[in-house]
């Protein structure tokens, strides 16, 4: 299974301009991408992604680079003056970059299956449920993109991935009975994939560690720990160590409250037997 080509972001031209400026200043300073990354304690892939316009340059990093490269605030000024539309989708797009490169993922969901576990038909049902409605072309593009992300689970060395999913999500018949049956079979197969741990949070619990909603934790190749959360009208990438620690504590508690992996497989087998 091969990675899908990344969707072109609306602010691609502006981001490429900022990235090209960084590359120009870096080369003028006589530094390689690896050398620059080492000096500011980020991964070489981060510098490469920014210079290629695939990842936005954040204001705090721009300020650090301006000081190091002695660019008199040029990068900070460029970032501050990006069009507003450029800033709206950046969190979600940035998360996709991190997800693609992650060495570990921990994912809690209580409304819908994690995107990495959705079948094509389930994903289509998700996007057809959107309000306002999407066109068929938009739905097809979104489904293709979502299914394409799943290639990370089938790599020779996949990320270590843990999912905790509400039982309500597993029992929901989004898309109808045929999609439900296909989804159950898919989840049962995913539960046996190398590197994946799947746990169901059972209904009827008296305590729950994540009543505030779903979230994702990931670890980057340079061992940075990052959180991500989505709301009805936006999303947030969480890098503050204290906030990430709170999410990690919540996730650790969720895993003790959920069915263990073998119990989860048993539940899926029972549900499949009821079809």
């Amino acid at each position: 299974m091969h990675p899908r080509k990344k969707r072109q972001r609306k602010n691609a031209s502006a981001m490429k301009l900022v990235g090209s400026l960084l590359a120009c200043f870096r080369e003028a300073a006589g530094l390689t991408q690896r050398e620059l990354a080492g000096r500011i304690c980020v991964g070489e892939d981060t510098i490469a992604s920014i210079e290629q316009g695939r990842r936005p340059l954040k204001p705090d990093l721009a300020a650090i680079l301006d000081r190091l490269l002695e660019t008199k605030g040029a990068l900070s000024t460029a970032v501050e003056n990006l069009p507003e539309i450029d800033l709206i989708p950046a969190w979600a797009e940035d998360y996709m970059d991190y997800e693609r490169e992650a060495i570990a993922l921990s994912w809690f969901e209580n409304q819908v299956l994690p995107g990495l576990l959705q079948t094509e038909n389930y994903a289509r049902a998700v996007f057809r449920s959107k309000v306002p409605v999407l066109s068929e072309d938009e739905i097809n593009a979104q489904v293709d993109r979502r299914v394409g992300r799943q290639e990370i689970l089938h790599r020779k060395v996949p990320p270590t991935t843990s999912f905790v999913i509400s039982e309500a999500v597993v029992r929901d018949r989004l898309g109808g009975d045929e999609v439900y049956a296909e989804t159950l079979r898919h989840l049962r197969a995913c539960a046996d994939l190398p590197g994946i741990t799947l746990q169901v949070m059972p209904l009827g619990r008296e305590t729950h560690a994540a009543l505030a909603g779903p979230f994702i934790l990931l670890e980057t190749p340079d061992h940075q720990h990052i959180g991500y959360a989505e709301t009805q009208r936006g999303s947030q990438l969480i890098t503050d160590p204290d906030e990430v620690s709170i999410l990690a504590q919540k996730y650790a508690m969720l895993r003790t409250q959920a069915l263990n992996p073998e119990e989860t497989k048993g539940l899926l087998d029972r549900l499949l037997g009821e079809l």
Side-chain angles (χ1 to χ4, degrees):
M1 189 172 185
H2 300 288
R4 298 292 206 283
K5 188 175 181 179
K6 185 176 179 180
R7 177 178 64 86
Q8 187 78 351
R9 192 186 294 163
K10 291 182 180 179
N11 62 335
S13 295
M15 287 177 55
K16 284 182 179 179
L17 176 58
V18 172
S20 296
L21 281 174
L22 174 57
C24 181
F25 291 140
R26 172 183 58 76
E27 291 169 0
L31 298 172
T32 65
Q33 290 180 341
R34 177 173 295 181
E35 288 169 340
L36 179 58
R39 292 200 183 185
I40 60 174
C41 300
V42 301
E44 182 181 355
D45 61 301
T46 297
I47 299 298
S49 293
I50 293 171
E51 290 188 356
Q52 293 163 12
R54 295 190 297 109
R55 176 177 294 177
L57 176 60
K58 301 299 175 59
D60 56 347
L61 186 55
I64 293 171
L65 289 166
D66 276 330
R67 289 194 296 270
L68 176 63
L69 300 175
E70 299 181 356
T71 51
K72 304 184 188 306
L75 292 171
S76 295
T77 300
V79 170
E80 288 171 6
N81 286 279
L82 284 172
E84 185 177 355
I85 193 171
D86 294 345
L87 303 178
I88 295 172
W91 291 115
E93 290 288 349
D94 205 21
Y95 168 75
M96 298 302 175
D97 286 342
Y98 282 119
E99 181 186 84
R100 191 177 297 109
E101 300 162 0
I103 62 173
L105 283 159
S106 300
W107 195 323
F108 168 65
E109 280 287 357
N110 62 356
Q111 293 287 354
V112 67
L113 284 178
L116 294 180
L117 295 179
Q118 294 181 12
T119 66
E120 181 176 337
N121 288 324
Y122 185 97
R124 194 171 301 281
V126 169
F127 291 116
R128 280 185 174 152
S129 298
K130 292 280 187 179
V131 177
V133 298
L134 302 177
S135 70
E136 278 301 307
D137 286 344
E138 289 174 316
I139 290 172
N140 290 336
Q142 294 275 24
V143 170
D144 185 65
R145 187 179 182 210
R146 177 156 295 179
V147 173
R149 288 166 51 197
Q150 299 172 8
E151 63 87 20
I152 67 171
L153 302 181
H154 302 278
R155 293 174 181 167
K156 289 184 179 179
V157 183
T160 301
T161 308
S162 168
F163 297 100
V164 176
I165 308 166
S166 170
E167 183 177 345
V169 175
V170 175
R171 290 182 177 274
D172 197 10
R173 293 177 179 259
L174 192 65
D177 290 346
E178 290 186 9
V179 174
Y180 172 66
E182 178 189 48
T183 297
L184 284 180
R185 289 192 291 269
H186 179 69
L187 286 176
R188 184 62 182 84
C190 287
D192 286 331
L193 285 176
I196 286 184
T197 301
L198 178 59
Q199 295 179 254
V200 168
M201 176 67 76
L203 297 171
R205 283 196 55 82
E206 295 183 358
T207 59
H208 194 298
L211 294 176
F215 62 90
I216 304 168
L217 291 163
L218 60 81
E219 183 178 354
T220 69
D222 53 359
H223 306 296
Q224 181 183 8
H225 293 268
I226 295 171
Y228 180 76
E230 290 190 343
T231 64
Q232 286 282 339
R233 299 296 300 142
S235 56
Q236 181 182 15
L237 196 64
I238 303 160
T239 58
D240 180 87
D242 291 338
E243 296 299 321
V244 175
S245 175
I246 290 171
L247 292 179
Q249 293 174 54
K250 288 177 179 287
Y251 198 81
M253 186 63 71
L254 283 171
R255 296 197 68 179
T256 70
Q257 295 172 341
L259 302 178
N260 68 38
E262 294 307 315
E263 292 169 337
T264 295
K265 292 177 185 179
L267 172 62
L268 293 173
D269 287 338
R270 289 194 298 275
L271 292 175
L272 283 166
E274 294 171 3
L275 295 177

